[in-house]
Structure formats: C-alpha cells, structure tokens
Amino acid sequence: MDTMQPAPEPFWCGLKDEELLKLRICDLGVRIEDSELHPRIEQLYTELATRSVFLRPDCYLGDEWFSPQGVPAIAIPFYLAHPRLKALELHQMLEVEGGTADWCQMLLRHECGHAVDHAYRFSSRNDWREVFGNPETEYAPETYTPRPYSKSFVRHLPNWYAQAHPDEDFAETFAVWLSTAPEDWRQRYRGWKALEKLKYVHGLMNEAATSQPSVTRGRRISEARKLRTTLGRHYAGRRKLYAEDFPDFYDADLRAIFGNGEATGEPAATMMRRHRAALIAAIVQWTGQRKYTVSMLVKKLILRCSALKLMTPKDSVRLHFELASYLASLVTNHLYTGRFKRSV
Ligand SMILES: [Zn+2]
C-alpha cells in the first residue's frame, strides 16, 4: 500500500502557457519522487536486479533525455515530472518524448545502456569495438541513413536508432537484453547478425555481475533544479533546433505551389491523396530514397495542405511537375540531413 501523501499542487499549475513560459526551470520545484517517473525508475531497477546487474544509475531531472558522458547517470527531461509541464511540452514541441509509460520505459532502458557503459567503460575494450565498431566515429545521430531491413541491428526505439552510432547500437542492444528473457531474444533474433551482439552483451553483463563498476559517480550535467533559463527561452532554442519537424516549415512553399493560378473546386489534399501512390513511386525511383521516408513526407504535406485549406489550381500539368520537383528536392536536400530522427 502506498501511504505517501500526494504532493501539493505547485503554484504555477493553473497558469496559462504564456505566463508559465516566463518562469525559470530552476523555480519549478518538480521532483522525481512526486511524479509518475518514480515507479518507472523503480521498474528499471527491478529489471536490472532480475538480470543480476548491480548498478543502479543515478536518475535525475535534466533538460532532455541523455546520459552524461562518462557518468553512470540518466537525465530525464523535467517536463515528464508534472502533467502541466507535459501539456506545455506538447503545445510547444507537438509531442512529448517518453510521455507514455511504455515509451518512457524504453528510453530509460536505452539511457541505462549508456550509463552501464560509462560505469564499466566497456566501449574502451577492443572486443567491444570488434562487435559494435569504433565509438570515436563521428557522432551524427541526426544524419545517419538507416537501412530498415538490416538484420545486423536490434530493433527497439523507432527510426532504426541502433544504426546511428556504435554507442547507440550498444545502448539499444542492452535495452533489448534487459527487457527480454534470454530464451526470447535468442528466438526473436535467430538467424540475425544482431544475435551476436546480444550474446556479446550477455557475456559482458555476466562478467559485470561479479565485478564492481570502475566509475560510480560523476556530475549531473544540466540538472533542472540548477537551470536558470526561463521555459520561454528553453523552448525558443529547442524549436529552432527542430525547425524542420514543424508542420509550418513547409507552409510558404505549399502556398506558392498551390496558389499559382486560378483554383478549381478541389482541395489540394484530395488531389494529393488521389495521386499519392504515383507520386511516391516516382520520387522513390529517381531519388533512391526509401519508400517509407518518402511516404512519411507526403503524409505530412497532405495534412498540411488540408490544415491550410489549399485548393488545386487549374493548370494540372504545371502543378504536377512543380509538386514532384518540390518533393524530390525536399527528399534529397532535407531528408538526408533531416531532423526527423532524434538523438537520445
Ligand atoms: Zn542514446
């Protein structure tokens, strides 16, 4: 039975977004103990105990999901510590990363993989590098071009995140190892090259079960209770960083394409949906980009055409050429350097 008293509601709870944005992060006073994060961290610790891992990474509220370099700790974004802040995050960023129980648990396991590596310095070992690659590889999780059908990597977080970097590959492999019974991952990844990675992690963690970590503490980087920036400035910075993830990123271009010439009575979204398959096939053929990637972009643009209530212009030949050229340029210029993949 949980006999804990619920924490009193913070003074900013009833504020409108504009007012809330004026507050400094350090003044929010949010704590893991008072939030839904507490049982989730407890579950992570239970999973670690089940797999005979001694380490319990220090979990604290930070400004985003990460594990500080070289430190066996996990930073969890402060907005997850209160429903009002989750609502603000949703309004500002259009999604709440780790906002559901399952998603949060997946991210905790992933960051725990980094924390375990920091504690035992596994990635400095030669055998680790033979399995996962050189961790000094340039870190570019925003720009990797994933191979969706590769069987060399486990699948845990979306966007084939294990392929982003050797460190991410290890964190993802660890996450699968932690959350899945050995007989289950052996079955699920049978015949995959990724199975070798899981077996290697299994061996490493068996070793770790009887040895002390070489690093046990370190600095909590970007701890929320010390961040003196206002929520407004925090979000202005993040929105800039993820600009291309925002629907209005394409608005000016779409208005130019569909606003060119006399309009018919047909909504642009309806026209786009009607030609969707042919449009996607042509772009995929001539850009060499994955069908999945192109489909996601087309889906985004259709939703945007609909939201802007754009209509189809009469000159359909010009429109089709223009639309296809625009999409092809987006796919080649933007998606290869695209921000739609996240770094965690
Ligand atoms: Zn990561």
Side-chain angles (χ1 to χ4, degrees):
M1 271 282 282
D2 194 348
T3 52
M4 251 173 49
Q5 290 292 315
E9 285 295 4
F11 70 94
W12 41 261
C13 211
L15 294 180
K16 290 198 169 115
D17 282 7
E18 311 85 77
E19 292 301 313
L20 191 51
L21 286 168
K22 290 176 189 160
L23 297 185
R24 298 188 306 176
I25 295 172
C26 58
D27 296 330
L28 294 171
V30 281
R31 305 189 320 158
I32 285 175
E33 305 88 283
D34 307 326
S35 74
E36 65 186 24
L37 292 169
H38 190 250
R40 291 175 192 166
I41 293 167
E42 288 301 310
Q43 190 188 323
L44 175 73
Y45 289 172
T46 304
E47 290 177 5
L48 288 167
T50 305
R51 302 268 175 263
S52 307
V53 182
F54 289 130
L55 187 78
R56 301 289 176 270
D58 171 34
C59 295
Y60 67 96
L61 295 177
D63 56 351
E64 58 181 332
W65 283 103
F66 68 100
S67 173
Q69 199 56 48
V71 180
I74 299 173
I76 304 169
F78 64 86
Y79 58 78
L80 290 178
H82 197 281
R84 179 65 189 92
L85 298 176
K86 283 171 82 174
L88 181 70
E89 174 78 9
L90 184 66
H91 300 155
Q92 292 289 317
M93 302 303 296
L94 305 177
E95 68 175 350
V96 182
E97 194 174 22
T100 63
D102 286 349
W103 195 0
C104 185
Q105 215 64 50
M106 286 173 92
L107 286 161
L108 279 173
R109 291 182 195 118
H110 174 97
E111 300 305 344
C112 186
H114 291 307
V116 162
D117 181 48
H118 298 158
Y120 289 94
R121 295 198 173 122
F122 289 138
S123 54
S124 62
R125 293 165 53 149
N126 286 333
D127 53 352
W128 191 98
R129 290 167 185 223
E130 273 162 33
V131 176
F132 292 102
N134 187 345
E136 267 116 57
T137 308
E138 193 197 341
Y139 207 103
E142 311 295 348
T143 56
Y144 68 103
T145 307
R147 293 171 292 141
Y149 308 106
S150 174
K151 293 194 168 184
S152 300
F153 302 88
V154 297
R155 297 198 188 151
H156 177 68
L157 290 173
N159 283 330
W160 310 279
Y161 196 64
Q163 301 183 31
H165 188 274
D167 285 336
E168 301 309 334
D169 193 6
F170 175 79
E172 287 288 88
T173 308
F174 176 86
V176 170
W177 173 84
L178 180 65
S179 59
T180 321
E183 56 273 23
D184 292 337
W185 56 253
R186 281 202 178 92
Q187 170 70 27
R188 186 168 142 207
Y189 288 97
R190 188 158 54 183
W192 288 47
K193 211 168 152 246
L195 186 61
E196 296 307 313
K197 293 176 178 171
L198 281 159
K199 285 180 182 165
Y200 176 73
V201 167
H202 192 58
L204 275 186
M205 297 318 296
N206 276 344
E207 230 178 84
T210 54
S211 63
Q212 289 299 315
S214 41
V215 182
T216 53
R217 62 184 70 208
R219 207 161 82 79
R220 291 175 162 191
I221 307 288
S222 298
E223 193 174 9
R225 64 185 186 87
K226 292 182 182 164
L227 294 176
R228 301 163 76 90
T229 186
T230 62
L231 284 164
R233 282 182 50 199
H234 165 75
Y235 281 116
R238 283 184 65 206
R239 285 173 64 98
K240 205 171 158 198
L241 194 64
Y242 292 108
E244 291 176 30
D245 272 346
F246 285 85
D248 57 6
F249 181 75
Y250 307 101
D251 287 5
D253 297 336
L254 291 174
R255 281 203 175 96
I257 292 169
F258 287 97
N260 191 349
E262 203 186 332
T264 63
E266 183 177 39
T270 310
M271 187 283 301
M272 294 260 288
R273 275 193 202 100
R274 191 149 41 82
H275 294 297
R276 202 173 161 271
L279 193 56
I280 291 171
I283 308 292
V284 167
Q285 178 167 1
W286 295 106
T287 62
Q289 187 51 274
R290 298 272 170 201
K291 192 175 176 185
Y292 171 85
T293 308
V294 180
S295 307
M296 295 291 279
L297 178 66
V298 171
K299 191 174 161 194
K300 215 185 228 182
L301 296 186
I302 291 176
L303 287 173
R304 211 51 211 156
C305 283
S306 174
L308 295 173
K309 300 192 168 58
L310 296 174
M311 301 305 274
T312 309
K314 268 192 177 147
D315 187 349
S316 64
V317 173
R318 187 201 55 77
L319 174 69
H320 292 170
F321 280 140
E322 217 176 309
L323 194 56
S325 307
Y326 175 60
L327 273 162
S329 84
L330 275 184
V331 166
T332 43
N333 296 334
H334 289 285
L335 294 184
Y336 274 117
T337 58
R339 306 282 327 191
F340 67 100
K341 295 156 205 138
R342 293 297 160 85
S343 71
V344 284

